[in-house]
Amino acid sequence: MINFPRTRRRIDRTLAPLLRWFQSLSNSLGHAWRRSLQLRVVVSTLTLSLIVITILGVVLTSQITDRLLEAKISAAVEEMDRARNTVQAQLAGADEGSTLRSRLESARAALTNRDGDASQAAGAAGTFDSVLIVPGDGSREPTFSGPASQIPDALRRFVQQGQISYQFATVSDPDSYHGPALIVGSPTASDISTLEIYLVFPLASEERSLALVRGTMLIGGAVLLVLLAAISMLVARQVVLPIRSASRIAARFADGRLKERMPVRGEDDMARLAMSFNEMAESLSKQITQLEEFGNLQRRFTSDVSHELRTPLTTVRMAADLIHDGSDELDPALRRSSELLVTELDRFEALLNDLLEISRHDAGVADLAGEQLDLRMCVRAAVATVRHLARDSGTELVIDVPETPVIAEVDPRRVERILRNLLANAIDHGEGRPVLIRLRGNEDAAAIIVRDQGIGLRPGEEKLVFNRFWRSDPSRVRRSGGTGLGLAISVEDAHLHDGKLEAWGEVGQGSCFRLTVPLVRGTKVTGSPLPLRPTARKQIQGRPIDEASTQDPTHLIAVPDLSTADSAGGSGKQAGRPAKGEPPRGSS
């Protein structure tokens, strides 16, 4: 008994290499078809040429065949007229006492033994075989002379109706010819009223002529296709080579080789294309150079101004502190003015710090002091710095961190600054609703999300939020006193860690920012432990919070009131003016 599963597996193993080879071949051909313009031009030209040649060959062959057959039929009809006259004359002079068969045989012999003009006329129609038939009736059998079996019954019916008719059929004669033939039949006006005469013209010569024509056209078509392939390759090469040259030069130009230019040869369209390309490259080179000079000047100006403002700012700060320390002895208006002066100086100092930091990023001199650190400490430190903002706005912070440490090689100052900016931004735009900060890690990377449920982001704004000084709603008041550079610095800090900072938001659904950093510095981040877009909502202590992790949030800390203690592990300092040496809260 046949084991069908085993046989099928054996067949599959046998065919698998062949199928893989065919798949590899198809992939290679598809790749070559997509990559090569010259190949597509040549194949398209040959395909269209083959279609045209095939149609032309079919039409010409049909026309030649029709002409040959028309000539053959015309000559055969003329030959039939002469043969009918010959048979009628032979039967009229035959002996009255001879039998019907002998009279038919002598008449058929007279057709094959003609000479003179008749033989020349017969040569125009070609050789033929004759058949004489006298149909039988109820009293006698039909009488014939020649191969009567070759005559089709349909043709005989037309002849018996008194019509001269012809038909193409396949015949076999004693001379071993087997093939198509033209059979012409005609009634006679002899004393044998029912006599039918048929002439069978083999079409062997016509078949040879048509075979010669087909072979000639086939060879001519093949030669023409080869010539067209060569011509199309030459023409396509003349067009493709300048395009390839332009592509190579454009790639070098994109790599920073701004002096690359296309060679200009002649005055044709390709030469004009090369000149236009060179003009465009020259213009772009000048503009890029100008932009680089402008960017360097702008960065140098920002850095110089920031450093130069340090000295007068220090002097003004000392004077403001002196006035603020003695504000108790001032009248209320001056006391309020001193407080506003100190607040604006704090903001001005934060702006200077941000400008210096962004100038270091622009100049490429920002350094990363990486160390192995538990990211939970960064989360708690960032929460501690914004606790006064959460208290003032009545925003509740919900911290979701794992119970086990999440160790990564990071710069704690920069990571805390990123989280501080994200939390301050979430508090500013969270409409007083709870803000979630969640930390998760896997074997390759760690991710931290900050999720608010405020006004959200309009479509396209998830990219604009990282632009410098961009604001979603300029009329909104920043509680954090931000400078507009926090998120721009944050995304640069994320890039320094070989990580990425991303944003998501929908109008009325809030927004979510995700920081993803590799656990080991220098490795590429391919995924993230946390999804950016929230997938579900979960009630936490009676408040709806988006659940964006598949892990069970076993370590949730709600921070409803941070004025008395820092439940997230902060320092417990009260909100207000920072102590000397402490950076102002809410700054970058």
Side-chain angles (χ1 to χ4, degrees):
M1 185 173 62
I2 300 177
N3 191 336
F4 288 102
R6 182 178 300 175
T7 304
R8 183 174 181 178
R9 288 194 296 270
R10 187 180 296 113
I11 294 174
D12 291 341
R13 287 195 299 269
T14 304
L15 294 179
L18 184 62
L19 293 176
R20 285 195 297 269
W21 182 82
F22 275 113
Q23 185 177 5
S24 176
L25 179 61
S26 63
N27 292 336
S28 301
L29 292 177
H31 181 72
W33 176 263
R34 292 188 299 270
R35 292 292 300 273
S36 177
L37 175 62
Q38 186 175 5
L39 176 63
R40 293 200 298 271
V41 170
V42 172
V43 172
S44 301
T45 303
L46 290 182
T47 302
L48 295 176
S49 301
L50 180 60
I51 294 174
V52 172
I53 291 174
T54 302
I55 295 175
L56 183 62
V58 171
V59 171
L60 289 179
T61 302
S62 177
Q63 292 293 326
I64 293 172
T65 303
D66 292 342
R67 296 298 180 270
L68 286 176
L69 294 180
E70 288 176 1
K72 187 72 173 182
I73 292 171
S74 179
V77 171
E78 293 179 0
E79 183 62 30
M80 172 57 74
D81 293 338
R82 286 187 287 268
R84 187 172 56 249
N85 294 331
T86 301
V87 170
Q88 291 175 171
Q90 183 68 27
L91 291 177
D95 187 6
E96 294 292 340
S98 58
T99 62
L100 179 59
R101 178 175 289 278
S102 62
R103 295 173 64 187
L104 295 178
E105 291 291 344
S106 62
R108 183 168 179 267
L111 292 176
T112 57
N113 295 327
R114 289 179 305 158
D115 54 6
D117 295 338
S119 297
Q120 293 178 3
T127 60
F128 62 86
D129 193 7
S130 59
V131 179
L132 302 178
I133 302 175
V134 177
D137 52 20
S139 59
R140 61 182 178 85
E141 295 291 330
T143 304
F144 57 88
S145 174
S149 59
Q150 296 181 356
I151 309 303
D153 293 337
L155 179 61
R156 288 195 61 190
R157 286 194 294 270
F158 278 98
V159 174
Q160 290 172 1
Q161 295 174 5
Q163 301 178 13
I164 300 176
S165 305
Y166 64 88
Q167 182 177 345
F168 295 98
T170 302
V171 299
S172 298
D173 61 13
D175 297 332
S176 70
Y177 172 76
H178 178 78
L182 172 62
I183 304 175
V184 182
S186 173
T188 61
S190 63
D191 54 352
I192 306 175
S193 60
T194 59
L195 176 62
E196 304 168 9
I197 179 173
Y198 298 93
L199 300 182
V200 182
F201 296 89
L203 299 177
S205 60
E206 286 75 13
E207 281 288 316
R208 289 192 296 269
S209 300
L210 289 176
L212 178 61
V213 171
R214 293 192 188 99
T216 303
M217 295 184 66
L218 184 62
I219 295 174
V223 173
L224 183 59
L225 281 177
V226 173
L227 294 177
L228 287 174
I231 293 172
S232 60
M233 288 182 65
L234 179 62
V235 173
R237 183 179 177 83
Q238 292 178 352
V239 177
V240 169
L241 284 181
I243 296 177
R244 290 177 178 172
S245 176
S247 176
R248 289 193 298 269
I249 293 174
R252 296 189 189 124
F253 193 87
D255 290 337
R257 304 178 188 177
L258 303 181
K259 300 298 182 182
E260 291 289 338
R261 298 294 184 271
M262 285 184 65
V264 180
R265 300 185 181 93
E267 300 178 357
D268 56 5
D269 294 334
M270 289 300 171
R272 289 194 291 272
L273 172 64
M275 289 188 292
S276 300
F277 181 88
N278 292 340
E279 293 175 359
M280 179 190 68
E282 186 68 25
S283 176
L284 288 176
S285 178
K286 292 180 180 178
Q287 294 180 21
I288 290 173
T289 303
Q290 292 175 357
L291 289 174
E292 288 179 348
E293 293 176 355
F294 177 75
N296 293 333
L297 179 62
Q298 185 182 28
R299 288 191 292 269
R300 190 162 53 249
F301 175 78
T302 303
S303 179
D304 293 344
V305 168
S306 301
H307 281 93
E308 291 299 327
L309 289 178
R310 279 287 184 182
T311 300
L313 176 63
T314 302
T315 303
V316 175
R317 164 70 71 182
M318 293 174 61
D321 288 342
L322 182 61
I323 296 173
H324 187 270
D325 291 340
S327 60
D328 294 338
E329 301 176 359
L330 301 176
D331 57 73
L334 292 177
R335 187 184 306 115
R336 178 58 180 165
S337 298
S338 67
E339 292 175 357
L340 292 176
L341 177 62
V342 171
T343 302
E344 292 303 320
L345 282 175
D346 290 342
R347 184 178 179 185
F348 186 49
E349 186 175 3
L351 178 60
L352 280 180
N353 292 332
D354 287 349
L355 288 174
L356 283 172
E357 186 65 27
I358 206 71
S359 65
R360 282 192 289 268
H361 281 294
D362 290 339
V365 296
D367 57 341
L368 190 70
E371 59 179 277
Q372 294 289 334
L373 184 71
D374 185 1
L375 292 180
R376 298 182 301 175
M377 298 175 59
C378 296
V379 172
R380 292 169 180 145
V383 170
T385 59
V386 298
R387 64 187 184 275
H388 64 288
L389 300 177
R391 180 197 61 195
D392 294 341
S393 62
T395 301
E396 188 171 2
L397 301 180
V398 179
I399 307 172
D400 178 9
V401 294
E403 292 184 346
T404 58
V406 181
I407 307 298
E409 186 178 356
V410 296
D411 185 340
R413 180 179 66 89
R414 296 185 183 276
V415 173
E416 290 173 16
R417 181 166 59 192
I418 295 173
L419 298 179
R420 183 170 66 246
N421 288 329
L422 296 181
L423 286 170
N425 183 73
I427 293 172
D428 280 340
H429 299 86
E431 303 292 332
R433 299 187 182 95
V435 173
L436 171 69
I437 179 170
R438 171 175 287 130
L439 168 66
R440 290 292 183 271
N442 56 20
E443 63 275 5
D444 298 321
I448 304 173
I449 63 169
V450 176
R451 172 80 165 97
D452 67 74
Q453 302 173 65
I455 59 175
L457 298 174
R458 290 185 291 269
E461 291 185 347
E462 65 275 1
K463 301 296 183 183
L464 299 176
V465 292
F466 300 111
N467 292 346
R468 300 175 185 181
F469 301 108
W470 183 86
R471 297 181 68 179
S472 174
D473 185 0
S475 63
R476 294 183 64 86
V477 178
R478 287 193 180 104
R479 296 186 180 91
S480 60
T483 62
L485 294 173
L487 291 180
I489 296 175
S490 298
V491 74
E492 296 292 343
D493 287 340
H495 293 162
L496 277 180
H497 287 85
D498 298 315
K500 53 187 177 180
L501 181 61
E502 303 163 284
W504 168 89
E506 287 185 2
V507 177
Q509 300 296 322
S511 59
C512 181
F513 289 79
R514 180 179 66 183
L515 171 66
T516 307
V517 294
L519 299 184
V520 180
R521 183 181 176 186
T523 59
K524 185 177 180 181
V525 174
T526 57
S528 181
L530 290 172
L532 178 62
R533 184 185 181 94
T535 56
R537 299 180 67 85
K538 184 175 180 179
Q539 294 288 333
I540 297 180
Q541 298 182 1
R543 299 171 306 279
I545 295 293
D546 287 305
E547 177 59 45
S549 174
T550 56
Q551 306 179 32
D552 184 20
T554 56
H555 191 185
L556 289 174
I557 302 176
V559 191
D561 186 4
L562 295 170
S563 60
T564 58
D566 182 14
S567 59
S571 60
K573 295 179 181 179
Q574 299 295 321
R577 184 168 177 270
K580 294 183 179 179
E582 180 183 354
R585 300 182 179 92
S587 64
S588 297

